[in-house]
Amino acid sequence: MLLDVATRAVLGAAVERLRRVARHVAWVAPGKLHLTLKFLGNVDQARVEEIVAALRGAAAGVAAFEAAVRGLGAFPTPTRPRVIWAGVSEGADTMVELAGRVDTALAILGFPREARPFSPHVTLGRVRVPRRDPALAEALAGGEGREFGRVRVGRVALMQSRLSPKGSEYTELAGVPLR
């Protein structure tokens, strides 16, 4: 799910502040910030229709909702980060439910189930060489309660990601509306 322009701009400003203390991070460009329910990996184009049908089934009965993008953190921990993120507070329970439905629907098609519990977030950057970084941990702690924006989640999109020298390029292949 792509974020609205205002939320991406506020998150982009947060990334710029973090960039000053963490130069060893590959930061996501603001225009590419998004919420991911499930990563599928390489998928044959011939499977797109069955995936979209599974997404329709997963989304059936789920009402559109609002999500608040709030707080900064890192996986696995802020003191030893690999992925820097902005969290989702309000709407997180619905996103977790929706991600579970998507995971179940796609498992029927043979896609591996997620090994870890789903944690709704927007990836802001990936640490190139993971290590202890007290300055970054302090900067993340300073953004723990900050709200970056609200997003109306009215659909689930099947996205294609292609790597390029400028980072990932995203193309929407199909969208499934929520009720």
Side-chain angles (χ1 to χ4, degrees):
M1 292 168 239
L2 288 176
L3 303 176
D4 62 83
V5 173
T7 302
R8 288 191 315 240
V10 174
L11 285 170
V15 164
E16 287 308 311
R17 285 189 296 278
L18 291 170
R19 186 185 307 269
R20 292 183 206 130
V21 298
R23 300 193 189 291
H24 57 283
V25 176
W27 297 104
V28 177
K32 297 177 182 182
L33 294 170
H34 62 279
L35 293 160
T36 300
L37 293 173
K38 183 167 178 71
F39 180 77
L40 303 181
N42 290 328
V43 175
D44 189 318
Q45 188 70 25
R47 298 197 72 193
V48 169
E49 283 188 40
E50 71 177 333
I51 293 169
V52 172
L55 292 176
R56 274 194 203 95
V62 177
F65 62 97
E66 277 212 5
V69 180
R70 181 180 291 130
L72 296 174
F75 296 129
T77 69
T79 55
R80 265 190 121 49
R82 291 186 65 85
V83 174
I84 311 300
W85 50 257
V88 173
S89 55
E90 183 181 316
D93 291 344
T94 305
M95 285 191 92
V96 168
E97 177 192 347
L98 186 55
R101 289 168 148 233
V102 167
D103 195 44
T104 298
L106 293 174
I108 293 167
L109 299 181
F111 289 93
R113 284 194 161 278
E114 294 298 326
R116 289 174 264 176
F118 179 73
S119 179
H121 67 281
V122 177
T123 297
L124 301 178
R126 289 180 176 78
V127 178
R128 290 184 181 108
V129 180
R131 62 178 183 225
R132 285 195 167 286
D133 189 335
L136 178 56
E138 185 178 325
L140 293 174
E144 275 182 3
R146 180 156 183 233
E147 184 164 321
F148 298 101
R150 301 177 74 73
V151 179
R152 176 156 173 74
V153 180
R155 62 201 300 269
V156 174
L158 176 61
M159 302 296 292
Q160 178 181 49
S161 172
R162 286 202 175 121
L163 289 178
S164 77
K166 295 180 181 179
S168 294
E169 301 291 333
Y170 300 107
T171 305
E172 183 173 321
L173 300 177
V176 175
L178 299 178
R179 177 174 55 79

